[in-house]
Structure formats: C-alpha cells, structure tokens
Amino acid sequence: MDGEAGGAPEVHRSPAPRDFHFCPTDLYDSEGRLRLFPEEHTRTGRPVPAEMTGEPGGAAPGKAQSDLEEEVQELADLYALGGGGEWGAELVDGSAPRVEVSEPRLHLPAAGAHRDWRPGAEAEDPGCLGWGAAGRDLREAYRYAHGRASEEYECYVIPEEEDEDEAALVFCVTCKAPVRACEVSDAHGEHEVTPLSKALESAKDEIHKNMFKLEKQIIEMENFANHLEEVFITVEENFGRQEQNFESHFNEILETLAQKYEEKIQALGEKKKAKLEALYGQLVSCGENLETCKELMETIEEMCHEEKVDFIQDAVAMADRLGKFLNTETDVEISAQPDFEDQTLDFSDVEQLMGSINTIPAPSAPVINPQAPNSATGSSVRVCWSLYSDDTVESYLLSYRPVQDGSPGKDQAEFTMTVKETYCSVRNLVPNTQYEFWVTAQNRAGRSPASERAMYMTAPSPPIIKSKEIRSCEEAALICWESGNLNPVDSYTVELTQAESPEASGVTESVVGIPTREALVQLQPRQRYTIYVRALSVGGPSARSDPVTVYTTGSFFHLNQHTCHPGLTISEDGFTVVRSERKTPAKEPLPGNTRFTRCVAVMGNLIPIRGRHYWEVEVDERSHYTVGVAFEDVPKQEDLGANCLSWCMRHRLASSRHKYEFLHNGTTPDIRITVSPRKIGILLDYENSKLSFFNADISQHLYTFSCQLHQFVHPCFSLEKPGCLKIHNGISMPKHVTFY
C-alpha cells in the first residue's frame, strides 16, 4: 500500500504472483483511505525485517537473507508442502509457485464477524478465497514471510499490483464497489459505472451535505435547548408564585378559623352564663317558697294545740294568710333546660376560602410583541402578545388609541375589544398612522395588570402615479407620483412587469429605496412595461398603485402646462397645441420665469437621458410656426432662436411664398426648401451634439445644428398666428434618420 497520511513508513512490496488477481478497495485518497494495517509493521507479533520495510539500518543483508530462507523452509515443513528448498527459493526471489485458482478476490470478514487465522482453523472454511488447502498453506507462508497480515484487523490482503493498474479502476454504482475496467463488460455489463474520481467527489459531496444537515440539526437542538431552559425558568417562577399563593390562602384560612373560634367561644360563654343565672334565680325562689311552706305548717300545728278561743282567733288570721300564699302562683317550670343545644357552625366563608385555593390565580401581565414585518395594511394591523405558559386566561382586553406627533394624544378616544386568542387583527384604521396598543388578561379570579405599551403603524396608502407626467425613451422612463398619505413615508418601490417578451414574460423587477416621489428607471428598448408603485413605512409596504403602461419604442413626453403662453390651448390628450383666431384674454402671469410671456410658445418635458431622441410635428403649410429645442432657463420674454439657449426651425408664409429659417442666437443660414414639409421630424443627438430636422413624409434631411449641449434641453413649439401643431412622439426612429 502507499504510505498513508500521518507519516506512516513506506513499505516496499515484492512483485505479485503471476496468477494472483487483486481487486483493491482503495475508495479514498491517501488521507481518507481505509486503514487495514496499524501504524507499526507487525507479523503476528514478530518484527518485520528492515530490508522488507525499506528502512535503513540493515547491517547484515546476507544474514537477513539466510534467516528468511530458514523461516520459509520451516513454514514449508510445518504445512507439509514438500520441497522446502524450492518453495523458499521462490518466495525469497519475490515470486510464488503457480497455483490454479478460480476468480480469487479479496476476502474480508463481515462486519462484526471474527475469523481465526491460526493454522488449522482454516479447516472449517474449505476453499477460502478459492485456493483450496494448498492455497491456504501458501497464504499462511506468504503472510508470515511478508508481514501482510494483522491479527488485530482480522483480514488478509493480497499484495497490490503495479500503480498503473489503479488508473484502470472504475466505480460500479449498482454494486457500490470499485471494479477494474476490464471486468466491466463481464460481471458489470448492465450496471451503471462511473469513473472512480467522480464517485469520490460524489461521496465527498454527500458527506458534506450530511454534515450541513447535521450542523443544521445541531443549531435546531441548541435553539430547542434554549427554549426548554426558558420554559424551565418560567415553570419554576410560576410554581414559586403558586406556592406564595397557597401560603397566603392558608394563612387567611387559619386567621378566619381563629376568629371564628374566638367568636364561638365567646358566644358559648355568654349563653352558659345566662342559663346558669336563670337556673340559679329559679333555685333561690324555689327555696324561699319551700321555707315559707314549712313555716306555715309549723304555725298551723301550734294552733291546733291552743284553746278554742285562741284557736279561732288565730285560725281566721291564718286562713287569710294561707289564702294569700296559695293564691300566689308558683313557677314550677325549669326556665333553662339542662340539655346541650346543638351549636351549628357556619363554615361557608371557610369553605369559600378553601375552594379558592383550588381556583387559579389572576393571570400575570401579558407581554405585547413588537410589530412584525408585513403585519399591517393600509387599514389594519395584526397585534400579537404572549403570556406565561401556566396562566389560565378566559379572555383578553386589547386597547388602542392613535398617536399624534410622536406622543399619544390625551384627548384621543381609546378603543377596547375582547379577544379570545393571543393575536388580533384590528381593522378600520387610518393609513400610515401610528397607534398605541396595550393588553390585559382576565379570568374569574380577576384581571391582570396591563402590558407595556407598544407602537404599531399601519401601512401607507398606495401612491397615485401621474400618468400625464410620465416621460420615456428607448432606454429609460421617468415615473412621477403623489404620495397619497398625510404623514410622510420612508421610501417607495417601483415594480416593473415586462409584458410580451419571450425572454422574460411576466417577470417583475423592483427598484427599492426611492426617497423621492419620482424615479428614473432603466428599461430595455422596444418593450412594453406595466409599472406599479408602492409606499413603504414602518408599518410595511402599501398595496400597489393603479398600473400605468410604458412603451420603450421611442421618446415619449407631454407638454408642460406651466410653460404654456396664455394664447395657446393644449388639448386634453396633451399632444396638440392650438392658437385660436379670437383674442385670448390676458391672464395673470405665474410668478417666476416658467411661462412664456412674449413668445406664444410652450415647452415639452423630455426625459433627462443623454442619447438620441426623435419626435415629429404635424404642421399646416399656411401657419406660422416655430419648432426646435431650448434649455429650461431660456428667456421667456424673447422669441425662440433669438438667443444662444435655443435652436429652432421657423416657418413664415408671405405672398404665397414659404420662408424657412434655422435660428440660433438670432442668425440663420441661407437655405431654400423646395418641398414644404407637412410633418417635420426632429432628431436630438446628445452623443454627437447635433440637432437635425427632416421632412418626414419624403425622408428628406433639411438642416443640422452643431450644438453645445452642456445641459438637458426640451422640445419647444410656437405659433405666431392662429393654427395648430400636433406632436407625434413615442415612435420608432426612421431608418433615414439613423445616418445623421
């Protein structure tokens, strides 16, 4: 085998026997190779000769040679191979006797199996490796001679063939084993075979995937362990609160029982005293009556012994006395019965307290969650909160009120709603507005404290695209819109859907983080785009705006109403300029220098993109008109072409004669046009700093200015007398224009 990674010594191997076929199982490179031998060289407990390991220090090669011959002879005699000298000579020479074998293969014991490689043990496994008895003896002799076996690993390895044979190895996917290329057509003809290097890469990729999954599982388990720890702490805290609750209830019960005991003892003492006093009074009265009766009896007995005269006198007095005594009613009923009255004890309040121990306590204050991304619309927000896991809640009270100028308004109305779940979608809110939310939990034991206040914000209203202000060319479009919200938003997003495109049909692209209410978007030429705009704030994105369609088939622009002279009228579609014959009443000029005052003209809003722009103007041969381009700050009190900030083509009709001038800074070249154009093509070329005019109907070039365009210019149109001009833009550039 090759020297393994980690500094294992290189082993010199003898040439393989001629009839031995070796199928190596080296599926990995030198670093990841399956190690079949230990780091040190062993030969069933005996040291390997230095000349076999290739290590220096062989001081007596002749002696080692003779020792090896003796060992081989010994082995040959031991296994009754006969002709020991011949066998030994062959083995020492590095060859082996020719033995007939049938498809020998590398034989490894099954996982977990134990094989006894000692002499004699092979008798239980006849025909191992297809060698027969002689093959086993030869194998043992070869193993002991060359040190190719290790009892520690319990396997036998046939010496490898030359390194060039390893290059012929392929990997059988069906058998999941490497095979020689020469064997593919035989036993593996119908199997899926792949190069060994490819199988190696595939195995490494599979291992990497499994490692990635294992790392992911480790992260999930760590997160789960953290969650378990949080639950553990929460349960511990909850049971601590339950213990405090039980202790408080039991102390209250004991106090109530002690109070009832004192009250009952005091009541019993009062009843005892009253009953004994009544009985005692009755007993005293009875004794007094008894004494009176005895006294009367004694008096009567004495009277009976008196003389008749004295007896009669005393008898009359005694009769009166006896009559009075006998007429006196004597109470012989016991006022207080001796039986103990059954004292019924009212423990209803104690039972109520005892019952309250089994009742859940009032819940703790909920924890309201911060606003989650994309949890709001223009009129609703989704509010979520959490509670201790052991708290029992029958319902929640969610309260909210709007926030103005960063602080809750004291005069703002508060709204409260009852919720059963730990979330709620609050509707009918104002777009792009901040609200303050808080929540309380309640059950039959009471209501929890209120949670902390949390700020939620609704999403903005969708913007409103100004379709009359869209400007475009073949490479870009300038989109403008209104916010549609009272409060400011954070940014805007423009979404583009390219339609009727074989390459990207229906694909939506987004331009995000736009701080202003306009965006210059790069596009592909000759396409049709559907464009939407969204507004973004803390509450999330708004819904899409109403769509607009943009064509990139040419330069497209509208006329600027703010520059229009009061004598001109712009049609509703924004592409026709009319000057009527009736006199237009004077209008108050707008502040600043945006509107033309002397020159009856209007400017167009061309997209600020350098490149080539083309548009056409349909004119009347009898009208007096001027068409061209000018800088935005061109003097509005001067005629077009009368200064260095404008380049124009001017037409006048005098005595049925057409006069054409190409004006810049008040000068014009002497040019005669024989065919009066009815449609004038204008090419603005920023790249070459040129402005060209064409007769579009006959594809005739009229004139070209060489301009110093250090800023962006805009189309301009003027009518000196009643008439009209019709602008055609957003059209493809004609072929004859591309040559200029």
Side-chain angles (χ1 to χ4, degrees), residues 100-258:
E100 296 296 331
V101 297
S102 58
E103 297 184 3
R105 297 178 181 272
L106 174 66
H107 183 76
L108 296 176
H114 299 279
R115 180 176 295 278
D116 192 354
W117 295 107
R118 295 172 299 175
E122 294 293 341
E124 300 176 0
D125 186 15
C128 177
L129 296 176
W131 290 1
R136 289 194 299 272
D137 296 335
L138 178 60
R139 182 194 64 197
E140 292 292 336
Y142 196 88
R143 181 181 67 181
Y144 277 86
H146 290 76
R148 294 301 194 193
S150 172
E151 293 182 356
E152 178 181 353
Y153 290 90
E154 298 183 350
C155 62
Y156 180 78
V157 180
I158 302 175
E160 297 181 356
E161 297 183 0
E162 297 298 329
D163 293 340
E164 56 266 18
D165 290 344
E166 295 187 8
L169 289 177
V170 294
F171 186 78
C172 179
V173 180
T174 305
C175 300
K176 300 186 182 301
V179 296
R180 296 183 59 175
C182 61
E183 298 179 0
V184 172
S185 59
D186 298 334
H188 306 274
E190 298 180 357
H191 294 178
E192 182 182 355
V193 179
T194 184
L196 191 61
S197 60
K198 185 176 180 181
L200 174 62
E201 293 298 328
S202 177
K204 288 183 177 179
D205 291 342
E206 186 67 24
I207 290 175
H208 290 161
K209 291 179 182 178
N210 292 334
M211 290 179 63
F212 176 76
K213 293 179 180 178
L214 185 60
E215 291 176 356
K216 185 178 180 181
Q217 186 173 357
I218 289 174
I219 294 174
E220 293 177 355
M221 293 302 295
E222 289 178 349
N223 294 336
F224 180 70
N226 293 334
H227 179 65
L228 284 180
E229 184 178 359
E230 293 176 358
V231 173
F232 180 87
I233 295 174
T234 302
V235 170
E236 185 179 17
E237 292 176 353
N238 290 341
F239 272 98
R241 291 190 295 108
Q242 291 282 10
E243 291 174 358
Q244 295 177 357
N245 183 48
F246 286 158
E247 183 179 359
S248 174
H249 275 77
F250 277 113
N251 290 336
E252 187 176 356
I253 290 173
L254 292 177
E255 292 177 359
T256 303
L257 288 175

Side-chain angles (χ1 to χ4, degrees), residues 289-300:
N289 290 334
L290 183 60
E291 290 294 331
T292 303
C293 290
K294 288 181 178 181
E295 181 183 356
L296 290 174
M297 287 296 294
E298 293 177 354
T299 304
I300 292 173

Side-chain angles (χ1 to χ4, degrees), residues 5 38 67 77 111-112 114 185 191 201 208 234 259 264 274 318 343 401 408-409 414 527 536 623 636 643 732:
D67 292 343
D77 295 339
H114 299 279
S185 59
H191 294 178
E201 293 298 328
H208 290 161
T234 302
Q259 182 179 357
K264 289 298 181 182
M318 181 58 67
Q343 299 292 329
R401 62 182 176 183
E414 295 183 3
Q527 299 294 332
L536 280 81
S623 62
K636 304 301 189 296
N643 47 62
S732 300

Side-chain angles (χ1 to χ4, degrees), residues 38 72 106 117 131 145 217 229 232 234 313 346 358 421 472 487 532 640 650 663 678 689 732:
V72 173
L106 174 66
W117 295 107
W131 290 1
Q217 186 173 357
E229 184 178 359
F232 180 87
T234 302
Q313 291 177 353
D346 183 12
N358 299 324
E421 307 294 339
S472 64
N487 298 325
Y532 309 87
L640 294 174
R650 181 181 181 186
L663 297 169
R678 296 182 57 86
S689 299
S732 300

Side-chain angles (χ1 to χ4, degrees), residues 540-551:
S542 70
R544 279 178 166 181
S545 65
D546 292 334
V548 294
T549 303
V550 173
Y551 296 89

